[in-house]
Amino acid sequence: MTGTAGRTTFGARLVPTLDPPRSPASLSTVDTVLPNGLRVIVVQLATVPMVELRVHVPLADDRALTELLAAGLLCGTTRRDRAQVYADLGALGGEVVAEVNPERLRISASGLAARAPELFDVVADAVSNATYPDTLMEQERTRLLQQQNLHRAQPAVHAQAELRRHCYGDHPYAQLIPSTSDLQSAAIDQVRSLHARAVVPRGSVAVLVGELDPERGVELLADAFASWDAAGHVVSLPPLPPITGGLRSVPKPGSAQAQIRLCAQALPRDDPRFPALRLATQILGGSFSSRLMHNLRERLGYTYFVRSQWEFTPDAATVTIETDTATNITAAALQEIQTELAGLVHNPPEPTEIDAARHYLIGADLLSASSQAGLAGSLTTITAAGLTPDWLRTQPTLLAEVTPDQVVAAASEFLTPDKFSGVIIG
Amino acid sequence: MNHQTTLPNGLRVLLSPDRSVPAVGVSVHYDVGFRSEPQGFSGFAHLFEHLMFQGSESLPKLEHSRRIQAAGGKFNGTTHQDYTAYHNFLPSSALRLALFCEADRMRAPLITEANLRNQVDVVKEEIRLNVLNRPYGGFPWIHLPPLLYDSFANSHNGYGDFTDLERATVDDCVAFFESYYPPSNALLTVAGDFDLDQTTDLIVSLFGDVPARPAVPRASFAEPPLSAERRGEHVDPNAPLPAFALGYRLPDPLTEPSSYLAHVVLSLVLTDGHSSRLVRQLVHERSLALDVTAGCGLMGSPYNARNPDMFLLSVIHPATVQPQAVLSAVDDELAEIAANGPAQQELTWAAARLAASLHREHDQLIGRTLSLGAAELLFGRAEMVAELPEQVAAISVEDVAAAAKTLCNTNRAILHVRPGNTLGEK
């Protein structure tokens, strides 16, 4: 008899338990500040013969200017024209991408470890000496205008923009995409002055993970970035206002799906109640095994995905709930979400559910830290939030100390349906 | 080092130990993809992939995912033209669990009417999310194959029509499982932190009693070349800008590996990176396009399907630019490369970029696991993954010129996308 009805003659077998956990090897790390004020963190992780560099520059300014700045950063410097920038990168298999959001400029660079000094030189040259040549900048402006048009047409982008506008009104954090008129009228001279005053080492972080000795990595970065000597300090995003606003409907006739986007105030990572709230949101919607996914997708078939996510700004944190559903069951889906939110209190998580969530979070961190790109990304996020790299190591213990009562307390304080503002688009 | 073995029931096993990080990747590749589904059953292979997560003899619905995630792991399934892959990425303490779960569903997946109907709903939401409600959803991977091929196997939509999906029955699923999911039609790949001998014994004990049954003989999907160029148009209600895609038949990667690889290198010379021919010319210098992407493979990844595979070149361009102007520019560039070949420097860059991008993919253990599994299943050569950078470095200017010449002299398919969402601009 074959297993076609999910049955064999032998019958169900005992599911094995886990083997004893193996801790990751402690990675050789250096965390220091260069003479120019740039903080550098270098970690040796030799999964592949590459290096991954992330330069994080807090940057909160006019969005048209910051988008043009990111677009133009690699268009040429006092030492290289654009063709030379890309020729130099080509020879070393290097990739450099500069992108901005309302809070920061991030430069991500990756290349063969054997040619790391040359990669760092291209990045350092850009941040120190970018010239934003007029002709190329006009090309970039045209390209950006078209790109933003494409970008805005993405339902997920549109939904995020609507949510932020609803929650934060005029605050710069809500400026996800600059307006067409702002992009059209921005002066390239203003981009150059923005760079001069705001793309500075003091307050910025460079994270380097790769196949190299960390002390040598620091030397290479110090060499490359020595010319980045701009005075001044970075400009951070101003504090966010508290979330207000209830639920707003944004009609979008003819859409094949509706987007539900809800947002509630939460806690920053260094708050003592953070581990409990983190577990509560994990149980709610942090993975396929979450209450929201099991209900809305696997029981009701309302959606392909539903999730809760954390968003952090320098001084605050929020939890968002997102799902896309067919338009005829959006109201029902919203109802189920609100039921699950209330359910965290009325049908509180059992110790097994909390354990599962805790192990998932610990495992996710371990797996992420097992790749150069994953580790570079999480270290950049953590240090940008003002935490030390050690924060990651403290999490397993802090999560293990959380009691079921504390999870319910966190859910009661932050995750009841009335705490969520949001938009329904479609 | 890769170690291979085959169990008495026909299951192939590929083991790649690497003890540097305490994580493992476990994947099972079944030698069936959406090209095998017959007329009237479009989308079936992908739907069945969803059903493989709906429980098995020892694991009720949702238990597989619950246990993997509670062990700190991640999982997913993907359906392709010629294979379906199930993968798990976990701390090494969960290796035994992951192997058990894969063996249990290989042996006896639980297929019920309720779960089938539920997952049909989920797949419909997935299609709405990724295709129907997304600008350029299905471009070009759904809308170009019907122009480039005549057989149902090669031309139909792998996500499926709603009517076909809704007609699927439990009996259909059982028959599909019996035909396409015997152990002799599968490859188990394990990479990462494990002991070779112990794990081999473990695999024998867990998978050894999955009953053998004959595999459906592998069909050839080869079909005659196009006798003339074919054009078609698709109106996209969500797209704000026009687009077009060119599709060409490729040489067989198995019987003409050098020629296939020359086409891969050609695609890199054309559109990989900012100094590539078409990106430089069309996007930066002449503002004729916003995005231009060339590659081998339906989804842009080479070596991800058997013959017939396709070379695709996609362009999104401003509404003010005539598609013929862009098409002429592309044809001119192809003719130029056909006549004179690329510069040696362009090949050096392409080789360096490809090597770096392979490293980036393999930086993540699960990326490495899936690469090895796909290469072994499709072409019987897991080792080709490691050989690729050297082989690319050996491709000559003449080889790439020949590839361009072949494209110029081949009947191709041209898909035009007419935008339906031109009111998006603010």
Side-chain angles (χ1 to χ4, degrees):
Chain A
M1 162 140 183
T2 56
T4 57
R7 262 192 260 291
T8 62
T9 45
F10 186 95
R13 294 133 203 264
L14 197 59
V15 183
T17 53
L18 302 178
D19 288 327
R22 261 196 72 203
S23 303
S26 171
L27 298 174
S28 190
T29 304
V30 176
D31 182 356
T32 188
V33 179
L34 298 183
N36 64 358
L38 176 67
R39 177 153 175 222
V40 298
I41 297 170
V42 186
V43 183
Q44 182 169 20
L45 178 62
T47 51
V48 285
M50 299 277 286
V51 291
E52 295 284 341
L53 174 69
R54 307 284 181 270
V55 179
H56 176 102
V57 182
L59 182 68
D61 206 296
D62 177 284
R63 289 290 285 122
L65 294 183
T66 59
E67 288 289 348
L68 283 164
L69 188 148
L73 193 66
L74 298 164
C75 282
T77 72
T78 51
R79 290 171 46 207
R80 295 174 166 95
D81 63 14
R82 181 164 65 189
Q84 193 62 50
V85 170
Y86 288 107
D88 288 351
L89 287 175
L92 44 100
E95 181 87 29
V96 180
V97 173
E99 44 91 13
V100 282
N101 68 18
E103 302 172 69
R104 90 289 181 273
L105 165 69
R106 183 164 299 178
I107 304 162
S108 302
S110 134
L112 298 165
R115 313 279 300 260
E118 296 158 78
L119 179 70
F120 301 160
D121 187 58
V122 170
V123 177
D125 186 27
V127 295
S128 309
N129 307 315
T131 53
Y132 305 98
D134 285 333
T135 318
L136 295 186
M137 288 308 292
E138 287 312 319
Q139 281 175 11
E140 288 303 305
R141 190 204 303 268
T142 306
R143 194 180 60 77
L144 259 179
L145 282 163
Q146 301 275 13
Q147 283 286 5
Q148 303 290 21
N149 206 12
L150 263 184
H151 207 46
R152 251 184 234 110
Q154 299 285 344
V157 171
H158 178 229
Q160 192 188 19
E162 288 290 340
L163 178 67
R164 289 223 183 154
R165 202 181 354 258
H166 175 72
C167 291
Y168 303 114
D170 282 337
H171 188 280
Y173 192 60
Q175 305 302 308
L176 272 181
I177 305 175
S179 72
T180 301
S181 54
D182 283 353
L183 261 179
Q184 276 166 343
S185 60
I188 305 306
D189 262 338
Q190 289 175 297
V191 177
R192 295 185 190 108
S193 348
L194 174 63
H195 183 122
R197 74 170 180 274
V199 180
V200 300
R202 227 158 260 97
S204 298
V205 180
V207 172
L208 173 62
V209 179
E211 193 198 60
L212 84 178
D213 171 75
E215 297 286 359
R216 167 125 178 89
V218 172
E219 273 168 26
L220 293 178
L221 289 175
D223 263 341
F225 286 91
S227 56
W228 193 21
D229 57 8
H233 201 281
V234 296
V235 177
S236 290
L237 194 68
L240 286 172
I243 292 178
T244 54
L247 291 181
R248 184 164 81 92
S249 181
V250 180
K252 199 176 178 195
S255 186
Q257 281 185 319
Q259 285 78 44
I260 299 174
R261 301 289 186 268
L262 309 173
C263 189
Q265 212 73 59
L267 292 167
R269 290 184 185 88
D270 55 4
D271 189 294
R273 294 165 295 169
F274 174 78
L277 186 55
R278 195 179 179 203
L279 283 168
T281 54
Q282 182 60 31
I283 288 164
L284 173 69
S287 76
F288 189 91
S289 305
S290 65
R291 291 186 174 193
L292 282 173
M293 273 292 254
H294 277 188
N295 187 4
L296 272 81
R297 172 175 151 146
E298 294 295 296
R299 184 174 75 93
L300 295 170
Y302 281 175
T303 184
Y304 178 61
F305 81 94
V306 55
R307 61 179 164 241
S308 60
Q309 306 217 98
W310 282 79
E311 266 183 24
F312 296 92
T313 52
D315 65 307
T318 56
V319 168
T320 17
I321 297 174
E322 309 180 341
T323 187
D324 291 14
T325 66
T327 48
N328 62 332
I329 40 98
T330 308
L334 180 61
Q335 185 94 32
E336 290 295 333
I337 292 171
Q338 288 164 335
T339 302
E340 289 299 345
L341 287 170
L344 286 172
V345 178
H346 303 311
N347 179 18
E350 299 278 326
T352 45
E353 209 177 351
I354 297 172
D355 273 345
R358 176 162 56 89
H359 285 119
Y360 178 82
L361 289 171
I362 293 170
D365 284 347
L366 186 156
L367 295 179
S368 168
S370 70
S371 71
Q372 294 170 346
L375 184 57
S378 52
L379 280 176
T380 308
T381 303
I382 294 305
T383 51
L387 301 164
T388 63
D390 231 49
W391 182 86
L392 286 165
R393 269 191 282 282
T394 65
Q395 289 311 287
T397 309
L398 289 176
L399 289 168
E401 289 167 357
V402 174
T403 65
D405 282 347
Q406 287 170 329
V407 175
V408 173
S412 312
E413 191 177 349
F414 294 96
L415 302 179
T416 50
D418 57 300
K419 301 290 196 317
F420 282 85
S421 229
V423 293
I424 294 130
I425 301 165
Chain B
M1 267 289 345
N2 301 330
H3 303 261
Q4 299 187 13
T5 190
T6 304
L7 302 192
N9 59 12
L11 177 67
R12 279 157 291 162
V13 181
L14 175 61
L15 301 175
S16 182
D18 169 7
R19 310 213 71 164
S20 54
V21 287
V24 285
V26 175
S27 71
V28 181
H29 286 67
Y30 291 91
D31 204 326
V32 61
F34 58 82
R35 285 210 269 217
S36 294
E37 52 202 34
Q39 204 131 17
F41 289 86
S42 65
F44 198 89
H46 172 244
L47 175 63
F48 190 80
E49 180 229 300
H50 274 244
L51 291 182
M52 283 288 274
F53 289 94
Q54 296 295 303
S56 52
E57 182 166 43
S58 316
L59 296 158
K61 170 166 165 146
L62 305 179
E63 265 311 280
H64 174 119
S65 47
R66 211 197 301 260
R67 287 191 181 251
I68 296 288
Q69 293 190 318
K74 298 179 187 302
F75 67 90
N76 208 347
T78 52
T79 308
H80 308 256
Q81 292 152 286
D82 293 331
Y83 70 91
T84 307
Y86 300 86
H87 71 256
N88 308 274
F89 183 27
L90 323 110
S92 30
S93 53
L95 172 59
R96 192 185 301 261
L97 172 70
L99 291 170
F100 177 92
C101 291
E102 290 304 334
D104 206 63
R105 62 180 169 183
M106 184 185 290
R107 188 184 301 107
L110 191 64
I111 298 165
T112 68
E113 178 67 20
N115 290 341
L116 174 58
R117 300 276 71 88
N118 164 250
Q119 290 303 303
V120 167
D121 284 340
V122 172
V123 168
K124 282 157 71 174
E125 290 309 314
E126 182 181 353
I127 294 169
R128 289 187 176 111
L129 178 73
N130 289 336
V131 182
L132 300 175
N133 205 41
R134 177 172 297 207
Y136 313 103
F139 172 76
W141 67 276
I142 292 179
H143 303 117
L144 189 132
L147 297 172
L148 189 58
Y149 299 105
D150 289 312
S151 71
F152 178 78
N154 292 324
S155 63
H156 81 274
N157 172 5
Y159 254 155
D161 298 326
F162 282 17
T163 31
D164 283 357
L165 291 168
E166 284 157 8
R167 271 204 319 247
T169 66
V170 169
D171 284 347
D172 294 333
C173 296
V174 164
F176 190 83
F177 172 76
E178 296 277 300
S179 302
Y180 292 109
Y181 277 63
S184 54
N185 212 33
L187 168 73
L188 168 68
T189 307
V190 185
D193 179 32
F194 63 92
D195 176 271
L196 187 62
D197 292 332
Q198 281 173 20
T199 302
T200 306
D201 290 345
L202 181 60
I203 288 169
V204 170
S205 74
L206 289 172
F207 287 86
D209 73 340
V210 178
R213 57 187 187 277
V216 169
R218 194 190 295 151
S220 163
F221 297 117
E223 55 176 275
L226 289 182
S227 54
E229 184 178 272
R230 280 211 201 129
R231 285 183 180 250
E233 187 185 74
H234 171 72
V235 179
D236 185 331
N238 301 304
L241 296 177
F244 68 83
L246 308 175
Y248 303 80
R249 306 278 187 90
L250 275 173
D252 186 334
L254 198 61
T255 59
E256 298 181 71
S258 203
S259 183
Y260 183 93
L261 187 55
H263 284 78
V264 173
V265 176
L266 173 62
S267 74
L268 299 175
V269 168
L270 285 171
T271 67
D272 187 47
H274 292 270
S275 2
S276 62
R277 293 262 178 139
L278 293 179
V279 173
R280 195 166 29 86
Q281 248 206 70
L282 300 183
V283 177
H284 293 298
E285 288 170 8
R286 297 172 63 187
S287 299
L288 287 180
L290 252 79
D291 189 75
V292 55
T293 308
C296 299
L298 180 65
M299 308 302 284
S301 293
Y303 301 107
N304 211 35
R306 299 192 184 99
N307 190 55
D309 199 4
M310 68 191 88
F311 185 99
L312 290 172
L313 194 150
S314 311
V315 180
I316 301 178
H317 61 87
T320 46
V321 172
Q322 287 309 306
Q324 193 50 51
V326 194
L327 186 49
S328 298
V330 170
D331 280 343
D332 287 347
E333 206 55 51
L334 280 173
E336 210 285 316
I337 298 175
N340 304 314
Q344 184 55 53
Q345 182 164 75
E346 287 178 283
L347 289 196
T348 310
W349 292 350
R353 286 182 63 87
L354 181 72
S357 97
L358 287 171
H359 285 316
R360 269 193 290 275
E361 197 186 315
H362 300 152
D363 173 33
Q364 275 223 72
L365 180 56
I366 192 62
R368 208 146 72 236
T369 312
L370 291 170
S371 248
L372 289 171
E376 182 62 33
L377 186 90
L378 290 172
F379 306 111
R381 301 191 67 245
E383 57 273 22
M384 66 187 273
V385 175
E387 289 168 0
L388 202 54
E390 211 176 281
Q391 289 176 337
V392 168
I395 292 287
S396 68
V397 162
E398 291 73 29
D399 294 330
V400 178
K405 190 164 181 194
T406 308
L407 294 189
C408 290
N409 295 330
T410 293
N411 289 318
R412 65 188 171 183
I414 306 179
L415 168 75
H416 287 278
V417 172
R418 201 142 58 81
N421 183 18
T422 49
L423 303 176
E425 175 153 356
K426 279 202 218 140

